[in-house]
Amino acid sequence: MLGSKLHLGSALAVGAFLALPGAASAQQAKQVTFSKDVAPIFQAKCQNCHEPGSIGPMSLVTYQDARPWARSIKQRVESRQMPPWHIDRSVGVTHFKNDMSLTDEQVATVVAWVDGGAVEGNPADFKAKPVAKEMFWAGERDGYGPPDLVIKAPEYTMPAVHQDEWWRPVSDIPVTEPRWVRMVEIRPTNLASRKILHHSIAYHILSPENSAAVNQGIGGRPISLSGSAAQAAADLVNRRPQLMEWAIGKGYDRYLEGTGKLIMPGEKISWDQHIHAAGEEVTGGSEIGLWLYKKGEEPKKRSYLVGFTGLKNGTAGLDIPPNSVAATEGFTVLRENTIITNFQPHFHLRGKAMQVEAIFPDGRTQVVSYVKDFNFNWMTNYIYTDEAAPVFPKGTIIHVSAYYDNTKANKSNPDPEQWVGYGDRTVDEMAHAWMNVVYLSDAEYAERVAKYGEGVTNGVKPVERTQQQQQ
C-alpha cells in the first residue's frame, strides 16, 4: 500500500512537472520531425537517387513517401549502408571532395526520428526540393556548373532477354584547338538506359602530338613463367589512355588542382560499354561531359587513370570455389614519384572488400584506403581532397588485397553453387582499384613532402603531426 502511494505521488509529481510551460517546451524541442529535421537531410544526401524516376527503389521526397520505410531507413542509416559511402573512415585517407556520407549528428537525427515514432511534424516546416524530371550531371549538382563539352556515344537497343553485350562505337572529340580537361563525368544517355548500362570506359584515341598521354609511370613484375603474359597484358591496358571509367553508382572524376588531360583536334573516343538485359527492351548508351580549364589557366601536370590489379598471377589466378570465401592480391610498382588522387574499387557480384596498401622502398607499409562492405550497385569513387591526396616515392609498391564472398550470406550472389572465375560478364568476377595518379619530379616530390608529409597524412603538415604525436 505504501508502495502504491509512493508510486502515485511520483506520478503526480511528474505530471505537475510536465504541466509546467518550460518543461512542455523542452519536451517539444526534443521532438524530431520529418518536416523540420529529417527532410533537409534526405534532400541533401538521399533525394537525388530516391525520387520518382531515379535509381532508388523508393521515393523519399515527402513524408508520405518515407514513412512506410522508416524502420528500414533506420537500419540502413545506422549501419552506414546508406548513403552508399562504404569506405572505412578509421584508416587511410579520410578527407574527400565528394563525401556523401551522413555525419554522426545526421545519423543520430534520423535514428531519433524513427525511435520517436517517425512523426511528420508541422507541414509548414517542410520546404520541398524540386524533383529532377530528366538526367542530371552530378558535377553540376555539386556546384561545378554544366560541362563545357558533351560527347554522346551511338546508342544500342538491348532486347528484354539477351546475353551481355559489349558495345564499342567511336565518337569524334569536337575541338578545333588543344584544350585541357579538369573534370569528367560519364552518365547514361537517358533514364531507361540506367537499367542496362553496367560500365562505360571512354578510351582516348590520341593525336600523334599528344603521345605524352600514354602512361609510363607504372609497371607489373618482370615477365616470368607464372601468370606473366596476363600481367604484361594488364600493364599494356593501363598504358592505354582513358578519359574516364564509369560504373553503376559512380559520379565524376575531378582531377587534382593544376592537373588534367589534354584533348586535341582530330582525336576520338573509343567506347567500351558493358550492357546487360533488364527484362524490357531498352535503347540507350552513355555520354561524357568534359569540364575544361579556361584559356590561360592550363595545368602543368597530366592525370593518368590506372587500374591497379588485385590479381598477381593474372586472370588465371582468380579461382573462387562454390560456397566459399576467397582472397587474391596484386602488386604494381610505381616507377615515378606519384600522387594518388582517388580510390574506386571494382568487383562484380561476389566482391566483398578491397584494401590498397603502399609498401615503401624501405619496407614500411601504410594503408591508403579500405572498403570493407563493397556493394555492386554502388561503384563509389572516393575522391581525396588535394591536401589529403597521398604522395609516394618511386619504387613504392601498390599492394591491392581483394576479398570475395561466394556464399548465400552474400545477398548479391546469384548462385553460390557456381564456381566463379575471371571474366567481363556480370556473373564473372574481377578485381582492380581504379585510381588517378600524377607524377612528380624529385624536386616537386620534395616540395610536396615538405608541405604535407610523405604517404598518407590527411594533409597535416609534418611539424604539426609531430607536435600532435607528442601530446
Side-chain angles (χ1 to χ4, degrees):
M1 196 69 180
L2 182 59
S4 299
K5 290 181 179 179
L6 287 174
H7 179 74
L8 177 60
S10 299
L12 291 172
V14 170
F17 172 75
L18 291 177
L20 294 175
S25 299
Q27 284 278 333
Q28 192 173 14
K30 291 179 181 180
Q31 178 71 66
V32 178
T33 69
F34 177 87
S35 298
K36 185 175 183 179
D37 306 294
V38 175
I41 297 174
F42 286 179
Q43 290 169 356
K45 298 294 181 75
C46 309
Q47 183 175 319
N48 287 322
C49 294
H50 291 276
E51 63 183 13
S54 194
I55 58 178
M58 82 289 283
S59 173
L60 299 178
V61 173
T62 67
Y63 175 74
Q64 289 72 26
D65 291 334
R67 180 61 182 85
W69 300 97
R71 291 185 179 180
S72 178
I73 291 170
K74 176 187 174 182
Q75 188 274 326
R76 292 298 185 94
V77 165
E78 202 168 26
S79 63
R80 291 198 173 273
Q81 296 179 54
M82 284 289 161
W85 193 258
H86 304 128
I87 201 161
D88 189 329
R89 303 188 298 168
S90 68
V91 297
V93 179
T94 57
H95 301 304
F96 307 92
K97 292 182 179 180
N98 62 328
D99 191 344
M100 67 176 75
S101 66
L102 299 183
T103 65
D104 292 342
E105 182 180 1
Q106 288 173 324
V107 171
T109 297
V110 174
V111 170
W113 172 63
V114 178
D115 289 346
V119 299
E120 179 178 15
N122 185 354
D125 291 332
F126 178 72
K127 304 295 186 292
K129 175 184 175 181
V131 174
K133 301 296 184 182
E134 55 189 19
M135 295 293 296
F136 62 87
W137 295 102
E140 184 175 14
R141 175 201 65 195
D142 288 353
Y144 297 113
D148 299 297
L149 184 63
V150 177
I151 303 169
K152 183 177 179 179
E155 293 185 319
Y156 184 90
T157 298
M158 189 64 169
V161 179
H162 200 275
Q163 291 290 330
D164 290 13
E165 291 285 353
W166 284 263
W167 178 228
R168 296 181 171 117
V170 174
S171 302
D172 292 327
I173 299 178
V175 293
T176 58
E177 59 183 336
R179 295 299 302 268
W180 282 90
V181 180
R182 70 181 305 161
M183 188 169 100
V184 291
E185 180 178 344
I186 291 176
R187 70 179 188 182
T189 53
N190 54 56
L191 293 174
S193 60
R194 293 186 300 191
K195 300 177 182 179
I196 64 171
L197 191 64
H198 170 266
H199 82 243
S200 178
I201 301 176
Y203 287 110
H204 190 184
I205 301 177
L206 302 175
S207 161
E209 291 79 28
N210 200 11
S211 60
V214 178
N215 185 5
Q216 301 288 341
I218 56 103
R221 301 178 309 169
I223 291 180
S224 69
L225 297 178
S226 175
S228 58
Q231 193 157 22
D235 188 32
L236 290 175
V237 168
N238 276 327
R239 294 171 191 258
R240 186 180 182 186
Q242 304 173 34
L243 288 175
M244 185 182 176
E245 176 276 343
W246 176 92
I248 300 169
K250 182 174 180 177
Y252 50 83
D253 276 343
R254 184 167 178 84
Y255 307 131
L256 186 75
E257 194 65 29
T259 74
K261 296 180 186 287
L262 180 64
I263 55 176
M264 302 186 75
E267 294 185 333
K268 300 177 183 293
I269 291 175
S270 175
W271 298 93
D272 185 345
Q273 300 169 100
H274 178 186
I275 299 173
H276 55 88
E280 60 181 291
E281 182 178 287
V282 176
T283 297
S286 54
E287 58 188 356
I288 186 170
L290 307 179
W291 283 255
L292 305 176
Y293 278 94
K294 294 179 180 179
K295 295 180 181 179
E297 298 181 0
E298 292 82 1
K300 298 179 180 180
K301 289 288 182 181
R302 291 179 183 263
S303 179
Y304 299 94
L305 178 60
V306 177
F308 287 94
T309 183
L311 305 172
K312 67 180 179 182
N313 292 321
T315 58
L318 183 51
D319 184 352
I320 310 173
N323 299 296
S324 69
V325 295
T328 62
E329 59 183 348
F331 301 87
T332 305
V333 179
L334 300 178
R335 295 175 178 157
E336 303 291 342
N337 304 313
T338 302
I339 302 175
I340 296 177
T341 66
N342 71 295
F343 169 51
Q344 181 202 337
H346 187 86
F347 289 110
H348 288 176
L349 297 168
R350 275 80 172 190
K352 177 62 177 176
M354 181 178 288
Q355 176 177 283
V356 175
E357 177 187 52
I359 305 174
F360 288 83
D362 61 7
R364 289 177 294 136
T365 63
Q366 192 176 50
V367 174
V368 180
S369 282
Y370 172 51
V371 163
K372 60 184 177 180
D373 191 15
F374 176 82
N375 186 329
F376 172 78
N377 294 308
W378 294 101
M379 303 285 184
T380 305
N381 185 28
Y382 304 93
I383 306 175
Y384 308 145
T385 62
D386 291 353
E387 297 78 10
V391 62
F392 301 101
K394 65 183 69 172
T396 297
I397 298 171
I398 301 301
H399 176 207
V400 176
S401 300
Y403 304 90
Y404 316 87
D405 184 353
N406 192 21
T407 72
K408 63 181 181 181
N410 177 2
K411 295 181 180 179
S412 297
N413 193 348
D415 187 355
E417 300 297 328
Q418 291 292 323
W419 170 88
V420 180
Y422 183 91
D424 290 333
R425 300 178 307 166
T426 304
V427 294
D428 300 322
E429 198 49 80
M430 55 177 58
H432 51 265
W434 288 112
M435 306 177 92
N436 284 287
V437 301
V438 177
Y439 300 128
L440 303 179
S441 67
D442 290 344
E444 291 167 335
Y445 175 77
E447 181 181 357
R448 175 86 184 185
V449 169
K451 188 173 184 179
Y452 297 119
E454 184 180 57
V456 177
T457 66
N458 284 302
V460 180
K461 296 180 180 180
V463 174
E464 295 175 355
R465 290 179 66 238
T466 301
Q467 292 174 347
Q468 290 175 357
Q469 291 168 354
Q470 292 175 347
Q471 292 176 354

